[in-house]
Amino acid sequence: DAVEERELLPTNVTPTHYDLLLAPNLEALTYTGEVRIKVHINEETSEIVLHSNELELLKAALIIGDEAPLQVSRIELKKEDETAHLHFEQPLAAGSNATLFVSFHGVLNDLMVGFYRSKYKDAQGAEKFMATTQFEPTDARRAFPCWDEPMQKATFGVTLRVSEGLTALSNMDVAETTNSGDGLKEVRFNITPVMSTYLLAFVVGELEYIEAHTSGKHNGRAIPCRVYTTPGKSAQGQFALDVAVQVLEYFADVFGIAYALPKLDQIAIGDFEAGAMENWGLVTYREVALLVDAASTSSRARQQVAYVVSHELAHQWFGNLVTMEWWSELWLNEGFATWVGTLAVDHVFPEYHIWTQFLVDDLQRALALDALRSSHPIQVPVRRSAEISQIFDAISYSKGGSAIRMLSSYIGLDSFFRGVRAYLQKHKYANASTQDLWRALSDASGVDVNEFMAIWTRTIGYPILTVEELPGGTQIQVRQNRYLSAGAVSDDEDQVLWWVPLRVATPGSDAQRTTDVLTTRSATVDVPVSTAKWYKLNQDTVGIYRVKYPPGAVANLAAAIAAGELEVNDRIGIIADAAALASSGHSNTSDFLTLLRAYRNETELVVWQEISLRLDVLQSVWADEADVIDKIRALTQSLFSPLAKRLGWDAAAGEDSLNSRLRALAIRYAGCSGDSAVVAETKRRFDAFFGGDRSVFNTDTLRAAFVVAVRTGGREEFTKVQEYYLDAANPVDQQLAALSSMGFTTDPELLDELFAFALSDRVRNQDVHQAIMAVNTYGPSRARLWQWYRDNYALLATRYRASMSYMGILVRLSVAEFTGAARADEVEAFFAAINTSKFQRVVDQSLEKIRSNTRWLEKDRADVAAWLASNAY
């Protein structure tokens, strides 16, 4: 059992309360600290082992009752284990309570983990630093010595000694502020509830805020909510603040438990590796994930802020109040927050149709990763802390969220939330496991949830359902096998029989959803094949699986799509499955291309997003096929140019955000595939924009225009977009749009300049991937990108040594779009010679993707060429 293999601290001593005093110096970028930890000695021992990483421990002693302090005879730091061993001359008696005192010194590092520094510019343009924290998963130990494991919950009393003019924040509200002389003050915060170390937080800096209160309708009191920013940006926190006050009440209602803390602060941090962090009562964010400029932020970025805020506030219950017992249960935090965060956005902003977007942003993302042999189960055994960062991925978040969506739709939302409320009530201020959640949901629904959900959370992968129409026209046979993007599955890999809700739909059948569930290898299902115009499995695209239909059934579905008879979620699921089956060899790529014709009159943004992503993959795999790639671009143009022409450049009165985003998508794909009218109009508007007429682009078309201008232009366009990125007066999401557009250049000289720029101090460490993320979309640039990565590996490995998951992002961007066995071997050889233990999973996935795509290209090279020729591209 993986539980027994966990590398945990000894349990002979356990903490119950921490009193922590920290004194950060924002000039010297260092801090001093003292911690007094109330501990219980469970077993006789002469050493205490706790976590400490890159701290200088100055002094340590143990106080038992009224006795004189026991001085530590020796402090032994074990760098590899990130532990401190405190040795005592005499054994400590079992059963006693004591206070452990440790004084220490630390550096406000630039690694975006632990207690670290973040850069910003004040109103005069001078560079300043703030001090902030990022502890999840295992970096509280970088800030102060502690028992840094989720199960080791305790209460925390935090005091920050800071300069008079600075703001100090922590999880709780301020108890008192006292003057400590020399221009310093001590800010003491109230004691936290029982919580895990990874959720503790503190921030010190020049800050301003805006404030609002929740209605108190479901919390029983109005909760004060603030958004903090660096000076001059607080007005941009208004949208996130509006979302927070609504969502905090919504969650108190659906979870049946009031928010547990006296206040909720959210703060935008300039240097921040993740998107956001759910620290209890003090949620930290990247600026782009929290700030919205009412006039200039794109509708996509605004929606993302709403989602990220909702996701983080969901954690205040699911993760903070009830915490997973160990990191192998990470999905309990992240999968659930992904699902319920989406539910909250749908509640506050139904016009976003976010559940439809979930299919592309989460379900398809999860299906793509989980089709690899190198994927992992939702519940993944984790032995040691070095492995944890690798599972903050699309499986834990997106497949986890998709599994919750599938389950909740099966047992019904009422039963689901009844179970969730019981689970939270039973385990609040404690730790829980996946089994605990399944038990609560089973009791609430009367269904043995564990029986079928354990298959989904404990096993890797998902099935493809193959449909066969039986003679007589009234039945189909459905068979399940494991789906792999590589195609062939061995008998050993095909042992699992999933619990699969079939959800068979025919015209007019919406009202009586089928309860048919496939639990065996194959089964016969009643379907009026001969009399129904069409039939479809996985209605609403709720199930985690692919479907392969007979050719006649595909033709009928295509006709229904063209006639507008299928709902949007089903249209997305059908084209996504067709593309996936083509790449894995379950069908021909020409079948997918033929099906695309049915979508010519499509009007919904999210369907076009899915189509565009599938065409991106096709162009990527065929990128080096000189005679074919231009024809694939012509196909792309034939689909998107009519859309761009119909929608035009300028928004219609009263238009919703999804239509605005569709216009931007159409312009981008029509322009990048060579539509001369779109390219010319982009150039005209681009010149006008930089000539001072900002009205020529709206908040959504700006990014699309930058992409087209850089892809089809030269140095002038590249330089102007770069200057736009560097102008701090522009909203942060549009700055990042400009940065990511620069990678669309096809000029080798500009590319080399971009690579140097990406590693300069003009691009924040967290944004390097933004600068290079588009480079691999142009086949001839890939070798140069890969060379850049190899040339700069040592620099990157040093810079991101504390956040190696970021190294994984850079690996994926640098190599995963290659095709060819020789390239795969070259990539494999490079990584075999270096220590990749903290991002090996991404290396394996990238290699598998290269080899899988190479097989696809070899299999369907002639098929695609023939289809393009016969269709006159």
Side-chain angles (χ1 to χ4, degrees):
D1 189 334
V3 173
E4 266 59 63
E5 295 176 2
R6 296 172 187 166
E7 292 183 3
L8 302 173
L9 291 174
T11 54
N12 53 5
V13 178
T14 47
T16 58
H17 175 77
Y18 294 76
D19 279 314
L20 179 63
L21 169 65
L22 294 171
N25 183 326
L26 295 183
E27 274 73 49
L29 300 176
T30 59
Y31 66 98
T32 57
E34 294 178 356
V35 65
R36 288 171 170 78
I37 311 172
K38 289 182 180 171
V39 297
H40 184 73
I41 297 161
N42 304 310
E43 302 162 26
E44 184 178 272
T45 180
S46 56
E47 75 166 358
I48 293 177
V49 183
L50 70 170
H51 287 114
S52 178
N53 188 16
E54 297 193 12
L55 292 172
E56 183 186 357
L57 304 192
L58 305 173
K59 254 192 333 194
L62 191 74
I63 302 150
I64 302 176
D66 297 329
E67 298 172 20
L70 285 172
Q71 297 303 319
V72 170
S73 60
R74 182 164 58 94
I75 299 176
E76 180 188 6
L77 298 177
K78 295 198 174 176
K79 194 170 176 3
E80 187 67 26
D81 298 335
E82 301 176 352
T83 55
H85 295 244
L86 310 180
H87 295 273
F88 296 88
E89 294 287 2
Q90 59 202 72
L92 312 173
S96 53
N97 293 314
T99 299
L100 175 65
F101 169 83
V102 186
S103 63
F104 54 95
H105 177 269
V107 172
L108 294 171
N109 68 69
D110 61 354
L111 302 171
M112 297 183 285
V113 292
F115 198 16
Y116 73 92
R117 63 185 188 258
S118 173
K119 232 179 349 194
Y120 68 95
K121 287 198 169 130
D122 68 12
Q124 285 71 47
E127 191 171 271
K128 294 276 187 75
F129 288 101
M130 64 195 293
T132 185
T133 57
Q134 171 61 38
F135 291 165
E136 189 181 26
T138 56
D139 286 308
R141 65 191 68 173
R142 283 180 183 272
F144 64 102
C146 57
W147 277 258
D148 198 13
E149 293 165 357
M151 284 280 279
Q152 299 284 5
K153 286 193 167 187
T155 53
F156 295 83
V158 174
T159 302
L160 298 173
R161 186 183 298 147
V162 303
S163 295
E164 278 285 0
L166 299 180
T167 300
L169 302 173
S170 189
N171 305 76
M172 295 295 287
D173 52 341
V174 174
E176 66 170 353
T177 301
T178 55
N179 188 321
S180 50
D182 296 329
L184 299 175
K185 63 182 177 182
E186 281 195 4
V187 183
R188 182 172 65 81
F189 299 90
N190 282 310
I191 293 171
T192 70
V194 174
M195 60 186 274
S196 301
T197 48
Y198 80 87
L199 294 166
L200 197 65
F202 16 93
V203 180
V204 176
E206 287 181 312
L207 302 171
E208 60 183 39
Y209 69 88
I210 54 172
E211 183 176 39
H213 289 72
T214 71
S215 68
K217 180 180 178 184
H218 301 292
N219 279 299
R221 63 195 167 92
I223 310 289
C225 299
R226 290 178 176 179
V227 171
Y228 282 88
T229 68
T230 50
K233 293 185 176 179
S234 59
Q236 295 179 41
Q238 190 63 52
F239 178 75
L241 185 62
D242 293 345
V243 173
V245 295
Q246 294 178 76
V247 169
L248 216 52
E249 290 294 332
Y250 174 70
F251 283 148
D253 179 23
V254 296
F255 294 147
I257 296 176
Y259 174 68
L261 267 57
K263 55 87 178 177
L264 174 80
D265 293 334
Q266 302 180 95
I267 179 165
I269 309 288
D271 293 300
F272 195 86
E273 192 212 344
M277 176 61 212
E278 66 267 19
N279 316 300
W280 212 353
L282 177 56
V283 186
T284 47
Y285 297 81
R286 274 189 185 214
E287 289 188 334
V288 73
L290 189 67
L291 303 184
V292 168
D293 182 300
S296 309
T297 294
S298 71
S299 52
R300 168 71 189 186
R302 182 187 298 259
Q303 178 190 299
Q304 188 63 12
V305 168
Y307 169 72
V308 176
V309 168
S310 300
H311 179 109
E312 301 310 322
L313 297 198
H315 280 309
Q316 306 302 302
W317 285 262
F318 236 87
N320 300 8
L321 184 67
V322 179
T323 309
M324 59 192 174
E325 62 178 26
W326 179 240
W327 298 105
S328 53
E329 305 276 2
L330 175 70
W331 91 276
L332 258 186
N333 278 16
E334 300 303 349
F336 188 87
T338 298
W339 177 81
V340 84
T342 306
L343 193 74
V345 174
D346 190 52
H347 172 75
V348 179
F349 300 103
E351 67 273 19
Y352 288 171
H353 300 288
I354 196 166
W355 280 118
T356 300
Q357 297 184 59
F358 180 92
L359 298 187
V360 176
D361 295 342
D362 287 286
L363 177 61
Q364 296 305 326
R365 192 165 153 255
L367 291 174
L369 181 53
D370 209 29
L372 299 174
R373 288 185 171 93
S374 47
S375 180
H376 62 83
I378 289 175
Q379 281 178 272
V380 56
V382 174
R383 287 191 59 211
R384 58 174 69 90
S385 52
E387 299 169 2
I388 297 165
S389 64
Q390 299 190 62
I391 61 170
F392 282 80
D393 63 6
I395 301 301
S396 299
Y397 286 72
S398 300
K399 189 183 180 187
S402 298
I404 292 285
R405 177 171 174 256
M406 183 169 69
L407 169 62
S408 61
S409 69
Y410 182 72
I411 66 173
L413 268 185
D414 288 347
S415 293
F416 184 81
F417 273 120
R418 205 160 48 246
V420 165
R421 286 193 283 271
Y423 164 86
L424 290 170
Q425 196 65 48
K426 182 174 181 180
H427 301 285
K428 62 185 179 183
Y429 303 111
N431 299 79
S433 69
T434 301
Q435 290 302 109
D436 294 321
L437 179 60
W438 294 161
R439 269 193 288 273
L441 292 172
S442 298
D443 290 345
S445 65
V447 176
D448 186 351
V449 170
N450 183 63
E451 182 185 19
F452 54 85
M453 286 308 292
I455 300 168
W456 283 106
T457 60
R458 292 183 177 275
T459 57
I460 190 172
Y462 58 89
I464 175 174
L465 304 192
T466 304
V467 178
E468 181 188 347
E469 295 171 356
L470 299 179
T474 59
Q475 291 182 316
I476 58 172
Q477 185 173 58
V478 183
R479 178 181 177 83
Q480 63 162 303
N481 299 92
R482 183 175 174 190
Y483 174 82
L484 285 174
S485 56
V489 179
S490 70
D491 290 344
D492 286 348
E493 293 171 318
D494 199 16
Q495 297 296 309
V496 177
L497 294 176
W498 281 274
W499 173 89
V500 187
L502 294 176
R503 299 174 67 96
V504 181
T506 53
S509 69
D510 285 0
Q512 60 272 350
R513 290 257 170 95
T514 175
T515 53
D516 286 328
V517 175
L518 179 66
T519 56
T520 54
R521 179 64 68 191
S522 67
T524 302
V525 183
D526 291 337
V527 176
V529 175
S530 59
T531 55
K533 282 173 69 180
W534 52 266
Y535 64 89
K536 182 189 180 291
L537 277 65
N538 200 10
Q539 184 178 30
D540 263 352
T541 314
V542 169
I544 304 173
Y545 57 92
R546 302 280 186 206
V547 184
K548 181 183 180 182
Y549 297 97
V554 175
N556 290 342
L557 286 169
I561 289 165
E565 294 174 15
L566 286 182
E567 294 296 322
V568 62
N569 287 12
D570 291 319
R571 301 200 300 273
I572 293 165
I574 287 168
I575 199 66
D577 282 0
L581 299 190
S583 64
S584 61
H586 288 88
S587 66
N588 293 323
T589 305
S590 56
D591 298 334
F592 160 69
L593 295 173
T594 298
L595 180 61
L596 267 181
R597 289 173 173 162
Y599 289 82
R600 286 191 180 280
N601 296 318
E602 180 59 58
T603 58
E604 293 288 339
L605 164 72
V606 189
V607 182
W608 280 112
Q609 280 183 320
E610 184 61 34
I611 290 169
S612 70
L613 291 169
R614 298 300 173 175
L615 288 170
D616 283 346
V617 172
L618 192 67
Q619 287 198 41
S620 179
V621 175
W622 264 258
D624 296 331
E625 305 292 304
D627 51 336
V628 174
I629 191 66
D630 288 341
K631 294 178 181 179
I632 296 175
R633 287 198 189 104
L635 164 66
T636 304
Q637 190 182 320
S638 75
L639 289 164
F640 283 94
S641 288
L643 195 60
K645 191 171 182 181
R646 177 170 66 79
L647 293 168
W649 277 83
D650 301 310
E655 160 179 282
D656 68 17
S657 65
L658 299 186
N659 207 58
S660 177
R661 286 166 57 189
L662 178 58
R663 171 183 298 104
L665 187 78
I667 289 168
R668 172 178 164 175
Y669 278 84
C672 286
S673 58
D675 182 319
S676 56
V678 170
V679 171
E681 183 62 7
T682 301
K683 172 68 173 160
R684 187 187 74 76
R685 289 180 180 245
F686 185 89
D687 291 344
F689 181 85
F690 284 101
D693 182 2
R694 294 286 165 119
S695 70
V696 293
F697 299 137
N698 67 31
T699 58
D700 293 318
T701 54
L702 178 79
R703 182 184 207 127
F706 281 7
V707 168
V708 175
V710 173
R711 174 68 96 197
T712 59
R715 177 169 294 281
E716 180 192 354
E717 289 77 13
F718 180 88
T719 303
K720 283 179 175 171
V721 169
Q722 183 177 40
E723 286 167 356
Y724 185 91
Y725 162 70
L726 290 170
D727 185 350
N730 293 319
V732 64
D733 73 295
Q734 302 289 29
Q735 285 182 281
L736 292 174
L739 181 62
S740 62
S741 300
M742 291 168 67
F744 281 91
T745 182
T746 60
D747 182 329
E749 191 176 313
L750 293 177
L751 205 56
D752 288 342
E753 290 177 25
L754 175 63
F755 290 150
F757 181 68
L759 294 179
S760 74
D761 61 4
R762 308 187 81 179
V763 175
R764 289 186 188 266
N765 289 356
Q766 73 205 27
D767 293 329
V768 170
H769 73 288
Q770 298 269 10
I772 66 165
M773 68 193 303
V775 174
N776 64 27
T777 63
Y778 183 62
S781 297
R782 289 176 187 164
R784 220 176 190 85
L785 174 61
W786 172 222
Q787 190 60 54
W788 168 83
Y789 179 88
R790 285 178 292 180
D791 290 346
N792 290 282
Y793 177 79
L795 181 155
L796 295 168
T798 300
R799 180 186 284 191
Y800 300 110
R801 67 185 183 277
S803 49
M804 293 300 268
S805 58
Y806 199 83
M807 288 296 285
I809 293 170
L810 298 178
V811 169
R812 189 175 277 119
L813 289 173
S814 300
V815 304
E817 298 306 310
F818 277 137
T819 51
R823 277 291 187 203
D825 292 345
E826 178 186 291
V827 170
E828 187 168 37
F830 175 80
F831 287 112
I834 56 182
N835 178 8
T836 57
S837 59
K838 292 187 177 179
F839 58 94
Q840 184 59 43
R841 202 181 282 279
V842 178
V843 173
D844 292 341
Q845 289 163 357
S846 299
L847 287 168
E848 187 176 346
K849 184 179 173 187
I850 296 169
R851 289 173 172 137
S852 174
N853 282 342
T854 301
R855 275 191 291 273
W856 175 24
L857 177 62
E858 289 168 352
K859 178 186 78 74
D860 276 0
R861 183 183 271 119
D863 174 63
V864 169
W867 188 92
L868 291 166
S870 67
N871 286 275
Y873 285 105

